[in-house]
């Protein structure tokens, strides 16, 4: 990393530290979910009685948020819109981390840009809803507002970088590719990019310790992954079987 400017050196170190916390924390949490014993059979009934049915139901829930739709359609509208738009934002940013960019990824960039432009709307909606609806405000903690505000700031700073205070996108891609390839180069000293990148690093470091881990935890929730067959099969505690 010799020859890097002091600013670049700081952000290269922060980037690798953030990536280590993100991936390390993610693996630690998922491993904890995977090895935690399930002493009781607690599927949320009615639930499929076969593993194939459980997989199919969870696939529908993960792709369409079906259970949330049944529970509260106003929350579903904001939450589902946010997650769909987030996929578009991911596709929008993916081009900055790979080279060459595939034709398919290049073709979907206009749609991905539209998604990025819409990202603040569901976040503002969810933020207002959490504050305005009494039952949500009652159970909300500062962490709930913090993560929504952090995501909103990332979205707004990204839009500012794209439409207000333009940065050298080639220099940004060169910097990000250098990080991915473990061959760091100087960071573009653009204030808007520095703010956006700093917020993204904060999110990466915060992710494994926040409620955002529901993205991985949903695959390990015993209420969702257990088969509803207590009448057909006796559930034995993992430690009782030894």
């Amino acid at each position: 990393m010799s020859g890097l400017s002091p600013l670049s050196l700081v952000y290269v170190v922060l980037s690798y530290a953030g990536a280590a916390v993100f991936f390390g924390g993610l693996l630690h949490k998922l491993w904890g979910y995977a090895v935690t014993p399930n002493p009781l059979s607690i599927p949320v009934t009615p639930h499929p009685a076969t593993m194939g049915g459980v997989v199919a139901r969870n696939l529908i829930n993960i792709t369409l948020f079906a259970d949330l739709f049944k529970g509260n359609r106003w929350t579903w509208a904001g939450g589902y819109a946010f997650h769909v738009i987030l996929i578009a934002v991911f596709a929008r940013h993916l081009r900055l981390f790979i080279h060459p960019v595939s034709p398919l990824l290049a073709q979907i960039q206009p749609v991905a840009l539209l998604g990025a432009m819409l990202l603040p709307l569901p976040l503002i909606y969810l933020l207002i809803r959490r504050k305005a609806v009494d039952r949500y405000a009652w159970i909300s903690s500062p962490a709930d507002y913090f993560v929504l505000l952090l995501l909103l700031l990332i979205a707004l700073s990204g839009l500012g970088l794209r439409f207000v205070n333009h940065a050298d996108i080639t220099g940004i891609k060169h910097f990000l590719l250098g990080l991915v390839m473990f061959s760091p180069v100087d960071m573009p000293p653009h204030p808007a990019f520095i703010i956006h990148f700093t917020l993204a690093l904060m999110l990466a470091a915060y992710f494994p310790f926040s409620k955002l881990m529901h993205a991985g935890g949903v695959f390990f929730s015993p209420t969702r992954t257990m088969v509803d067959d207590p009448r057909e099969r006796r559930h034995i505690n993992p430690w009782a079987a030894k």
Side-chain angles (χ1 to χ4, degrees):
M1 292 191 291
S2 62
L4 295 178
S5 67
L7 175 68
S8 302
L9 189 59
V10 168
Y11 271 91
V12 166
V13 173
L14 288 177
S15 299
Y16 287 131
V21 172
F22 175 76
F23 290 110
L26 201 63
L27 290 175
H28 176 71
K29 286 283 187 177
L30 293 179
W31 176 253
Y33 296 154
V35 299
T36 298
N38 296 314
L40 301 173
S41 181
I42 54 172
V44 175
T45 57
H47 207 56
T50 64
M51 186 51 68
V54 169
V55 172
R57 178 166 180 171
N58 282 322
L59 188 61
I60 294 173
N61 277 332
I62 290 170
T63 55
L64 301 176
F65 297 7
D67 284 349
L68 182 59
F69 181 79
K70 295 174 186 175
N72 189 303
R73 297 184 181 181
W74 289 107
T75 303
W76 174 88
Y80 194 71
F82 166 70
H83 285 81
V84 170
I85 290 173
L86 204 59
I87 295 173
V89 173
F90 176 78
R92 177 70 181 165
H93 286 74
L94 187 59
R95 78 193 200 286
L96 299 174
F97 292 89
I98 59 175
H99 184 79
V101 175
S102 69
L104 176 61
L105 185 59
Q107 288 177 0
I108 65 173
Q109 286 307 303
V111 177
L113 176 60
L114 178 62
M117 293 166 61
L118 296 175
L119 182 57
L121 297 181
L123 289 170
I124 293 172
Y125 170 79
L126 292 171
L127 196 58
I128 293 175
R129 183 166 171 73
R130 184 170 286 280
K131 191 67 179 176
V133 179
D134 287 344
R135 61 180 182 277
Y136 293 145
W138 179 255
I139 62 174
S140 295
S141 67
D144 296 319
Y145 295 105
F146 173 75
V147 71
L148 285 173
L149 287 172
L150 181 57
L151 288 167
L152 182 59
L153 288 174
I154 292 173
L156 293 176
S157 62
L159 291 177
L161 190 60
R162 174 65 177 82
F163 295 106
V164 180
N165 197 353
H166 301 283
D168 174 17
I169 193 69
T170 303
I172 291 175
K173 179 165 184 173
H174 195 45
F175 171 68
L176 295 176
L177 275 176
L179 291 175
V180 173
M181 302 302 293
F182 296 101
S183 181
V185 299
D186 272 333
M187 178 184 187
H190 191 283
F193 173 66
I194 293 174
I195 292 173
H196 184 64
F197 190 62
T198 302
L199 292 170
L201 289 178
M202 289 175 59
L203 178 64
Y206 180 65
F207 191 101
F209 312 103
S210 71
K211 64 185 299 181
L212 297 175
M213 272 304 297
H214 71 270
V218 69
F219 297 100
F220 299 93
S221 172
T223 60
R224 302 295 181 187
T225 58
M226 282 186 158
V227 175
D228 187 12
D229 60 350
R231 293 180 180 83
E232 293 79 16
R233 188 176 66 88
R234 181 186 178 191
H235 180 80
I236 301 176
N237 297 343
W239 55 82
K242 297 179 181 177

